[in-house]
Amino acid sequence: MPAPSSHRWAVLILFLLVLAFVAGVFELFELRYAAGDVYPPYSSLRADPLGTMILYESLGRMPRLSVWRDVAASNHLPEGRALTYLHLAATREDWEELPQDLARELDAFLVRGGRLIVAFKPELTPPLTRFPSAGPGRPVRKPRRGMPVEEEGGPAPIALKDKWGIEMGYLRLPPGQEEEFGPAMVRCQAQLPVPPALAWHSGMIFTNLDPAWETIYARGTNPVMVQRAVGPGTVVLASDSYFVSNEAMVRARHADLLRWLVGPARAVVFDEAHLGVVESPGVASMMRRYRLHGVAAGLLLLAALFIWKNSLSFVPAQPEPLAQQMVEGKDAGAGFINLLRRNIAPADVLQVCFAEWTKSLGRGSGIALARVDQAQAVLETETTRAKAERDPVRAYQEICRALKPTPGVKQD
């Protein structure tokens, strides 16, 4: 049998190993999430060149400007006025046709005076051909992250060219020196406080523009960034998202362009839901929202102490007593019976008991002497009989009847 001290040391070493394992896993997740490569490109949660965390944190340091992320699963845009909504890394197929409920939500946001910025994911190659038709004039739509899938027989989507009078095309990028494609130069076409030229990393262009659109930047005669007013709100479409990435913030930052892009807003919202970063309600999200990290750490510490308490003893273990040859004892009644059996013969038990009982008699006992004499006579008669004829039980019962007082007779 192992010693108690060795058992305690084994449990303590196991606890330290588990604690080190948990700390290592936590550190690994910290490194991954600090770099942000677990999030999709152009997410404001990524700190690598493909993310937009620099822009998010830079705007958050500006006075009188609140910045947050939209991670809601619904398509409802945030309420409020003087609000800029950044929808970065959008895809062509998501915006060529809009579900009617999303179109109404966009109109309501713009009517409230919001500023909608839609920057598309860079396109380096021509887009694929249109999806195979499911019927006359009704293309098959593939599911989109962050947007509900249309039910069969539901309302038909609204084409972007019918809603805002704009279409999307493609113009091949020039060949690069080290890569297959290089950036194209685009130039400013509007009288705005923005850079006169930019390096553009997407082949997408806008075509068939409604006259309400204003061209901000164009690649030759092909617009790549446009804006238009919709009621009191503004819509800005850009065919590239590179200029807001972390890499662009380090290599080619244009603060004046970003200032114009945000506009006179008091709040800026980064749309993360369409990238797949959606907050699912649960215990963990509630704990993060209400900052209950300390409570969780306290519960873990309490659980560890409970395990330790049940594994180890603060009182030193007592040595086990040596086994001794002991005879099991008996109670007082059994001892008295054994004493009687050893010292009194069975034939003399009744006589000895009667003699001891008569010694205890005294004045005021309430038993007449005549009855005691009668009981004595019964005992003498029993003792004079032969051993084979003796019956102690019957004699005891006769003595009890002789000593029992008769009701209504006065004792002498």
Side-chain angles (χ1 to χ4, degrees):
M1 180 176 179
S5 59
S6 62
H7 175 71
R8 290 197 298 268
W9 277 109
V11 173
L12 182 60
I13 292 174
L14 178 61
F15 176 75
L16 293 177
L17 290 176
V18 172
L19 187 63
F21 175 76
V22 173
V25 172
F26 182 77
E27 182 66 20
L28 179 62
F29 275 93
E30 280 288 320
L31 293 175
R32 288 295 307 274
Y33 279 93
D37 55 351
V38 297
Y39 297 105
Y42 295 97
S43 170
S44 62
L45 296 168
R46 290 188 69 146
D48 64 342
L50 291 178
T52 58
M53 182 180 286
I54 295 179
L55 177 61
Y56 178 86
E57 294 184 351
S58 299
L59 293 176
R61 294 191 181 98
M62 297 183 63
R64 298 184 299 276
L65 183 65
S66 60
V67 183
W68 73 87
R69 299 179 177 95
D70 182 10
V71 292
S74 62
N75 279 334
H76 298 292
L77 296 178
E79 302 286 342
R81 299 181 180 276
L83 188 147
T84 298
Y85 194 82
L86 295 179
H87 184 88
L88 307 178
T91 56
R92 178 194 294 254
E93 57 268 21
D94 285 347
W95 283 86
E96 284 185 335
E97 292 181 344
L98 300 175
Q100 291 194 12
D101 56 345
L102 179 59
R104 289 192 295 268
E105 187 68 23
L106 293 175
D107 292 338
F109 175 77
L110 296 172
V111 167
R112 293 193 297 266
R115 184 174 175 85
L116 177 64
I117 311 296
V118 180
F120 289 86
K121 185 182 298 184
E123 288 188 0
L124 302 180
T125 58
L128 299 176
T129 57
R130 300 303 301 158
F131 304 114
S133 178
R138 195 61 194 269
V140 176
R141 304 295 308 281
K142 66 178 182 180
R144 304 189 296 268
R145 289 182 298 181
M147 294 186 179
V149 180
E150 297 176 31
E151 297 182 359
E152 185 176 357
I158 302 176
L160 188 63
K161 64 179 180 179
D162 297 331
K163 181 173 179 57
W164 285 338
I166 189 171
E167 293 185 88
M168 288 168 275
Y170 177 81
L171 183 62
R172 184 181 179 87
L173 289 171
Q177 296 179 355
E178 298 180 357
E179 300 178 354
E180 183 179 359
F181 301 101
M185 294 303 298
V186 298
R187 301 190 179 279
C188 180
Q189 305 293 321
Q191 299 297 323
L192 295 173
V194 295
L198 294 175
W200 212 248
H201 295 74
S202 176
M204 180 190 291
I205 58 174
F206 299 116
T207 61
N208 301 325
L209 272 65
D210 187 90
W213 288 99
E214 178 186 7
T215 300
I216 308 301
Y217 283 97
R219 181 182 168 189
T221 58
N222 301 294
V224 293
M225 181 184 293
V226 294
Q227 75 168 348
R228 69 170 291 177
V230 180
T234 308
V235 179
V236 178
L237 301 182
S239 63
D240 187 13
S241 295
Y242 175 81
F243 64 94
V244 295
S245 64
N246 294 333
E247 183 178 3
M249 296 295 107
V250 175
R251 293 186 177 182
R253 181 185 308 170
H254 299 286
D256 45 1
L257 174 61
L258 299 176
R259 187 184 307 111
W260 170 83
L261 196 68
V262 172
R266 294 193 296 268
V268 179
V269 181
F270 284 70
D271 184 12
E272 296 286 340
H274 80 287
L275 297 175
V277 183
V278 180
E279 182 180 22
S280 57
V283 176
S285 61
M286 295 293 290
M287 293 182 68
R288 288 195 301 268
R289 177 178 301 177
Y290 295 104
R291 299 181 180 180
L292 298 178
H293 304 82
V295 176
L299 291 176
L300 290 177
L301 179 61
L302 184 62
L305 291 176
F306 177 78
I307 297 174
W308 186 27
K309 174 182 177 297
N310 288 271
S311 301
L312 302 176
S313 176
F314 292 102
V315 180
Q318 297 292 335
E320 296 183 0
L322 297 177
Q324 300 179 358
Q325 299 295 331
M326 300 179 64
V327 179
E328 184 179 359
K330 299 181 180 181
D331 58 2
F336 179 70
I337 294 174
N338 290 333
L339 184 62
L340 292 177
R341 288 176 177 175
R342 290 179 181 180
N343 296 276
I344 302 175
D348 300 333
V349 172
L350 186 60
Q351 186 176 358
V352 172
C353 290
F354 186 80
E356 293 297 327
W357 176 76
T358 55
K359 292 179 182 179
S360 64
L361 289 176
R363 296 184 61 86
S365 61
I367 300 177
L369 294 177
R371 293 187 177 278
V372 175
D373 294 340
Q374 185 179 355
Q376 181 70 31
V378 172
L379 180 62
E380 292 176 354
T381 303
E382 181 68 17
T383 55
T384 58
R385 292 179 180 177
K387 291 185 178 181
E389 298 178 357
R390 291 179 183 178
D391 188 356
V393 176
R394 180 183 57 78
Y396 173 76
Q397 293 175 350
E398 291 180 0
I399 291 172
C400 291
R401 285 194 294 269
L403 295 176
K404 184 176 181 181
T406 302
V409 179
K410 182 178 180 181
Q411 303 291 330
D412 295 334

